């Protein structure tokens, strides 16, 4: 198979703007002609191997990031948004969407932002109507989705925060059962913060920082890995306040609520990176062939924490296997989602019922596997398991979740979970993103018709799905 041509016009234009270079100045740095730079930026010519090497050398770029089609996630989001009937029948085809995402990514994001604003306006109107009708349902805020998009388009990797956490992890020393105690001692010695582990008086509070009195209370009902994580989130605010403000300012959030949620998300990111520092975690992941139970044992972490960390291993020139990760509640709602793969989760509506994560609740305590194929022809090895989060005794709160972790099949050989699978000969189960944008015609689990394709309802015959597509 011939190697795929790499067109990177938008990325080259962004790089040139970042360094404030003219096309002629960039051409001089790369030892090519200005007209060639112009052709690359307009996607008339692909990047050659020599130009990619020159970019990596002169601008410290990661070759893998140049060869990766970063527009995939934009294409998926555009397809899902444009499937809404509000756009009528004149919906761009897949090739047109790929062209827009590759050549005008800022325009693509503007379209998504405009559609998001339209959708939220409709939801607010519906909420007002419901309130007038004495319906308790109300509209929802956009702040969480705005923050999800922030991490989504950063590939769920925040380099300066990740490296800062790794530096502190090195200072804390080797991994072991006393690492939590070392973190508590560090808080006292470096920040004069006294950490108190005790049960909550009431409710399900996890952590509380009394800043004036330099006292940090942590719920003693949490397991040690969660206690370490909660202390790490507070340390992030103490040690990385300037960096946090820089990251938040650069994101230009639309509301104080979104900025506050993002601050919490960045603190959580720091805590996860402190718990499982990048280089040590990547080395262990390769050594144990991404066995999440072994990694949880080595780092004293939960399976959820390990899986989440695996989805962030996208440091330039030191990338791990690109994973997707999701957490799903018992109602099928995705409550946490991250993806460094081409597989993207539904932004609007529910997830595909054929995905093995929905079966994980039935196989409690087991890691189940699935070979799956999405409508775009990409194939994945999907892992799923379920777990409980308990706090307190008999009357304590219990939260139940199912978790999904997976990678494209080209990386499956690096995972212990693929050793006994006949990947070459086994059938792959068809899954999608959500029914509203999936055009599969013969899915017996379909919940609603695809928005972008017409349907017919035959009068004289009927199948499991009571309509025919296309």
């Amino acid at each position: 198979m011939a190697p795929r041509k790499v067109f990177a016009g938008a990325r080259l234009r962004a790089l040139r703007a970042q360094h404030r270079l003219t096309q002629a100045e960039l051409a001089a740095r790369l030892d090519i002609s200005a007209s060639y730079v112009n052709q690359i930026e307009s996607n008339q010519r692909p990047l050659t191997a020599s130009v990619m090497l020159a970019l990596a050398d002169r601008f410290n770029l990661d070759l893998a990031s140049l060869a990766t089609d970063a527009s995939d996630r934009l294409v998926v989001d555009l397809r899902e948004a444009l499937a809404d009937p509000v756009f009528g029948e004149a919906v761009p085809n897949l090739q047109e969407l790929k062209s827009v995402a590759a050549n005008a990514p800022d325009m693509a994001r503007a379209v998504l932002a405009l559609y998001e604003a339209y959708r939220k306006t409709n939801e607010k109107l519906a909420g007002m109507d419901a309130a007038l009708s004495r319906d308790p349902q109300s509209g929802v805020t956009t702040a969480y989705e705005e923050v999800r998009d922030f991490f989504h388009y950063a590939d769920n990797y925040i380099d300066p925060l990740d490296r800062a956490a790794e530096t502190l992890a090195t200072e804390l020393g080797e991994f072991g059962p006393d690492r939590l105690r070392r973190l508590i001692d560090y808080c006292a010695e470096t920040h004069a913060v006294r950490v108190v582990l005790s049960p909550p008086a009431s409710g399900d509070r996890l952590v509380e920082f009394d800043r004036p009195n330099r006292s940090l209370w942590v719920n003693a009902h949490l397991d040690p890995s969660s206690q370490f994580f909660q202390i790490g989130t507070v340390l992030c605010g103490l040690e990385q306040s300037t960096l946090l403000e820089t990251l938040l300012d650069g994101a230009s959030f639309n509301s104080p609520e979104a900025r506050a949620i993002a601050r919490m998300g960045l603190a959580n990111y720091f805590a996860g990176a402190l718990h499982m520092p990048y280089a040590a975690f990547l080395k262990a992941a390769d050594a144990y062939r991404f066995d999440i139970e072994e990694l949880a044992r080595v780092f004293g972490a939960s399976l959820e924490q390990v899986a989440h960390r695996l989805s962030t291993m996208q440091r330039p020139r030191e990338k791990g296997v690109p994973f997707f990760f999701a957490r799903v509640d018992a109602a099928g709602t995705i409550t946490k989602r991250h993806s460094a793969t081409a597989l993207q989760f539904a932004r609007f509506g529910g997830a595909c019922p054929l995905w093995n994560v929905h079966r994980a609740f039935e196989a409690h305590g087991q890691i189940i596997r699935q070979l799956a194929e999405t409508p775009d022809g990409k194939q994945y090895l999907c892992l799923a398991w379920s777990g409980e989060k308990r706090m307190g005794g008999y009357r304590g709160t219990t939260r139940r979740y199912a978790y999904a972790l997976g990678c494209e099949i080209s990386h499956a050989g690096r995972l212990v979970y693929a050793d006994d699978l006949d990947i070459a000969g086994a059938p792959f189960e068809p899954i999608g993103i959500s029914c509203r944008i999936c055009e599969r015609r013969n899915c017996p689990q379909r919940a609603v018709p695809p928005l972008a394709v017409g349907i017919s309802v035959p009068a004289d015959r009927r199948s499991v799905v009571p309509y025919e597509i296309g």
Side-chain angles (χ1 to χ4, degrees), residues 75-397:
V75 172
V76 170
D77 290 348
L78 283 171
R79 286 193 73 195
E80 189 170 0
L82 293 173
D84 194 303
V86 71
F87 292 101
E89 298 180 0
V91 177
N93 60 38
L94 183 58
Q95 191 56 45
E96 289 174 317
L97 293 179
K98 287 183 176 180
S99 178
V100 170
N103 296 310
D106 289 340
M107 175 61 74
R109 292 188 181 96
V111 170
L112 287 173
L114 182 62
Y115 175 70
E116 183 76 359
Y118 157 79
R119 194 175 72 89
K120 290 304 178 183
T121 299
N122 274 1
E123 288 182 352
K124 287 178 181 178
L125 289 173
M128 292 173 62
D129 181 67
L132 291 172
S133 303
R134 297 186 179 180
D135 188 323
Q137 183 177 356
S138 61
V140 296
T141 180
T142 66
Y144 273 101
E145 291 174 351
E146 190 180 356
V147 174
R148 279 202 295 262
D149 282 349
F150 165 73
F151 284 100
H152 178 70
Y153 287 110
D155 280 337
N156 198 34
Y157 176 74
I158 311 297
D159 187 73
L161 206 55
D162 206 294
R163 292 182 186 274
E166 189 170 33
T167 299
L168 177 54
T170 301
E171 187 174 344
L172 289 176
E174 296 182 356
F175 303 96
D178 65 334
R179 199 158 179 257
L180 174 61
R181 174 50 54 188
R182 277 182 271 148
L183 183 66
I184 293 174
D185 292 342
Y186 176 86
C187 290
E189 295 165 5
T190 307
H191 297 284
V193 170
R194 183 174 65 97
V195 177
V196 178
L197 303 177
S198 66
S202 61
D204 56 0
R205 190 169 302 172
L206 304 178
V207 63
E208 184 171 349
F209 183 31
D210 182 352
R211 194 176 297 270
N213 294 316
R214 312 299 287 176
S215 177
L216 175 59
W217 172 84
V218 181
N219 192 329
H221 288 162
L222 295 173
D223 58 73
S225 67
S226 296
Q227 291 172 354
F228 187 101
F229 181 88
Q230 295 300 334
I231 296 171
T233 64
V234 176
L235 266 180
C236 180
L238 292 173
E239 299 202 340
Q240 304 300 327
S241 58
T242 302
L243 176 55
L244 285 177
E245 294 305 316
T246 300
L247 292 169
L248 293 169
D249 289 343
S252 300
F253 290 111
N254 293 321
S255 68
E257 292 82 7
R259 187 181 177 98
I261 294 167
R263 183 188 297 277
M264 183 187 301
L266 290 170
N268 289 345
Y269 184 100
F270 179 89
L274 176 63
H275 200 171
M276 292 161 279
Y278 198 100
F281 186 75
L282 183 59
K283 181 179 179 181
D286 280 323
Y288 288 103
R289 301 187 59 220
F290 298 88
D291 187 319
I292 59 174
E293 291 170 299
E294 289 285 10
L295 291 172
R297 177 186 59 79
V298 170
F299 290 93
S302 68
L303 296 186
E304 177 184 359
Q305 290 170 332
V306 168
H308 190 171
R309 185 57 170 150
L310 284 173
S311 74
T312 70
M313 306 301 284
Q314 295 298 299
R315 179 177 291 179
R317 303 194 182 198
E318 300 177 65
K319 290 189 176 184
V321 169
F323 282 99
F324 65 77
F325 166 69
R327 186 180 71 186
V328 180
D329 68 15
T333 305
I334 297 177
T335 61
K336 186 184 289 187
R337 59 184 183 189
H338 302 289
S339 181
T341 72
L343 187 145
Q344 303 303 324
F345 304 109
R347 292 164 62 90
F348 321 111
C352 176
L354 300 178
W355 194 18
N356 69 336
V357 69
H358 300 295
R359 301 198 298 269
F361 287 109
E362 304 167 12
H364 189 69
Q366 303 177 43
I367 296 177
I368 59 177
R369 302 172 297 178
Q370 179 185 37
L371 295 175
E373 181 175 317
T374 50
D376 59 5
K378 288 187 169 63
Q379 297 178 326
Y380 299 88
L381 171 59
C382 305
L383 310 176
W385 66 97
S386 63
E388 294 182 346
K389 294 187 175 185
R390 298 181 61 87
M391 284 199 304
Y394 174 70
R395 299 190 184 281
T397 58

Side-chain angles (χ1 to χ4, degrees), residues 12-35:
L12 198 63
R13 287 196 304 273
L15 175 70
R16 186 165 58 79
Q18 177 187 349
H19 291 272
R20 299 181 180 178
L21 299 174
T22 65
Q23 288 188 341
E25 290 169 336
L26 178 60
R29 290 202 186 187
L30 299 178
D31 296 324
I32 58 178
S33 68
S35 62

